[in-house]
Amino acid sequence: MRREHFHALISAERRSVGASFVRAGLRAVSIPYALGSRCRNTLFDRQWKKSFRVDVPVLCVGNLTLGGTGKTPCVEYLAALVRDAYDRRPVILSRGYGADASRNDEAMVLEENLPDVPHLQGADRVAIARAAIEELEAEVLILDDGFQHRRLARDLDIVLLDATRPLQKEAMFPRGLLRESVTGLKRAGIAILTRCDQAADVGEQRHWLESRFPKLPVATSIHQAREWQCNGESVPLAEYTNRPVAAFCGLGNPQAFELTLAKLGYRPSEFRTFADHHNYTREDVDGLRRWAETLPADAVVLTTQKDWVKLRIADLAGRPLAALRIGLTLLTGESELRSQVEGVLGDAPDREN
């Protein structure tokens, strides 16, 4: 089932008798899934399952739901903060979901934007944490998408919540997108609502979170476009607004990319989507080239940096291929986040001494 069809089904946008029966079936299946998740968390909470602590601080960026909440820009923000403000050597650790070789798309994006920050991927994050310390002399570990990976103990959990998909309306997978119960937020040190510029009810979501988890700080953020990257060059965001454009992406939330393009003044004549973490094959590239040939000769094809790092081509059928680079911008709660990080790492160094 395609992702958009699944979302339409679980959100009840599809209103047929058959869809209602499918939703009922998914809800029944979600009960054992929820019980399994609760049991696993209980085992860790009561220390019947062991968490392994390493000798350096561990900061975790994760979420409660399946699909994209914008973790990669947050990991980039956090790694740069650790490196620049605290003068520590960070190493990023991740599971590597979606990789068919040694690195997945998120690792390649981070390598492009943070070439001096090592990134290790592997299923056993305790093992790669130890390798990062012993072999790379890591001073801080940043665990990417690790909120449910409780074998590696962490000093701060930062949980991202997509504001375009309100948490209070979500259900447990497979009836919804929740990986675990919302009560898991009790383990978090801070929650960050992402894509707040694309949601109409951010205030309502903050109120719900603060009333249910009064001790949990809640920050708000946007994924802000920084620049286009085309043929190895940085290009201003408005560069292509007077040319015909088409776009494609393989994201967990492709609608977010569409909305970002609209805010930048772009209205693609065509918009193609692939599965999240899609690994582009030669056949895919040939298909994209045939598609691009149908566009006007002066058209520009737009995509995301996450997609481009797996293609690394300058054009499609002579139409320039431009990749959008984005970064996390905190609207509120930045001082609270820095305070939480400082509580783990200690005071930032005085660079005047």
Side-chain angles (χ1 to χ4, degrees):
M1 181 182 295
R2 291 180 61 86
R3 182 178 296 271
E4 57 267 27
H5 295 161
F6 178 67
H7 285 305
L9 177 67
I10 63 175
S11 65
E13 291 176 13
R14 292 174 60 182
R15 295 180 177 275
S16 66
V17 174
S20 297
F21 275 112
V22 172
R23 281 192 287 271
L26 292 176
R27 185 174 296 281
V29 174
S30 71
I31 294 173
Y33 180 91
L35 288 173
S37 173
R38 182 180 300 176
C39 288
R40 181 176 181 275
N41 278 321
T42 299
L43 291 174
F44 278 106
D45 291 340
R46 298 186 180 181
Q47 299 182 348
W48 294 337
K49 283 182 73 72
K50 185 177 180 181
S51 293
F52 296 86
R53 187 163 292 279
V54 293
D55 295 332
V56 303
V58 178
L59 310 177
C60 174
V61 177
N63 58 15
L64 286 179
T65 55
L66 298 165
T69 55
K71 291 184 296 294
T72 302
C74 185
V75 170
E76 181 182 340
Y77 170 93
L78 194 61
L81 177 68
V82 168
R83 179 195 61 192
D84 299 337
Y86 293 91
D87 200 23
R88 305 282 188 91
R89 178 174 173 78
V91 174
I92 299 167
L93 311 177
S94 69
R95 170 68 176 82
Y97 176 79
D100 59 359
S102 60
R103 300 174 302 160
N104 68 355
D105 44 26
E106 286 139 347
M108 289 187 278
V109 168
L110 291 166
E111 183 179 284
E112 284 277 323
N113 298 341
L114 297 170
D116 59 335
V117 177
H119 188 159
L120 299 183
Q121 293 190 312
D124 188 343
R125 276 172 274 192
V126 174
I128 60 174
R130 290 169 174 163
I133 297 167
E134 295 169 6
E135 300 174 20
L136 301 176
E137 299 180 343
E139 296 176 310
V140 179
L141 300 178
I142 298 176
L143 185 58
D144 181 9
D145 194 15
F147 191 55
Q148 287 77 33
H149 186 88
R150 299 188 62 182
R151 283 188 66 241
L152 179 61
R154 68 291 311 272
D155 300 279
L156 174 63
D157 273 301
I158 301 166
V159 178
L160 306 187
L161 308 172
D162 187 344
T164 66
R165 294 174 178 168
L167 192 63
Q168 63 268 35
K169 298 179 182 179
E170 276 295 353
M172 189 67 70
F173 182 80
R175 175 58 184 85
L177 296 177
L178 284 174
R179 295 177 173 184
E180 62 173 299
S181 167
V182 295
T183 58
L185 282 175
K186 292 178 181 178
R187 305 196 309 272
I190 185 170
I192 302 178
L193 286 165
T194 62
R195 302 190 177 104
C196 290
D197 55 333
Q198 299 177 9
D201 57 353
V202 175
E204 179 182 332
Q205 292 185 57
R206 287 193 67 176
H207 176 74
W208 183 85
L209 287 166
E210 290 165 354
S211 62
R212 184 154 185 180
F213 306 98
K215 296 182 180 180
L216 178 67
V218 179
T220 58
S221 69
I222 59 174
H223 291 136
Q224 193 163 30
R226 303 290 195 230
E227 63 184 7
W228 292 108
Q229 296 175 332
C230 186
N231 199 21
E233 301 291 333
S234 297
V235 178
L237 292 172
E239 182 74 12
Y240 308 119
T241 50
N242 293 323
R243 295 173 64 173
V245 298
F248 70 92
C249 69
L251 301 176
N253 186 356
Q255 293 79 18
F257 182 45
E258 279 192 283
L259 288 170
T260 297
L261 292 177
K263 286 181 179 294
L264 293 174
Y266 293 99
R267 299 291 188 275
S269 60
E270 296 188 48
F271 191 92
R272 286 196 167 189
T273 61
F274 295 86
D276 194 18
H277 299 288
H278 183 70
N279 290 311
Y280 291 91
T281 64
R282 181 181 295 276
E283 289 75 19
D284 291 327
V285 176
D286 289 342
L288 286 169
R289 286 187 172 127
R290 289 192 296 270
W291 170 61
E293 286 176 349
T294 67
L295 304 173
D298 61 339
V300 178
V301 181
L302 309 177
T303 191
T304 72
Q305 188 183 22
K306 180 178 171 181
D307 291 283
W308 181 84
V309 293
K310 292 180 288 187
L311 293 164
R312 296 189 181 276
I313 54 179
D315 67 85
L316 288 167
R319 282 73 171 171
L321 178 61
L324 186 63
R325 180 171 179 258
I326 62 172
L328 182 78
T329 297
L330 287 163
L331 303 176
T332 64
E334 184 168 20
S335 61
E336 179 60 40
L337 175 59
R338 287 179 176 248
S339 175
Q340 296 259 1
V341 173
E342 190 170 293
V344 173
L345 303 186
D347 294 339
D350 185 350
R351 297 184 181 274
E352 295 181 357
N353 294 333

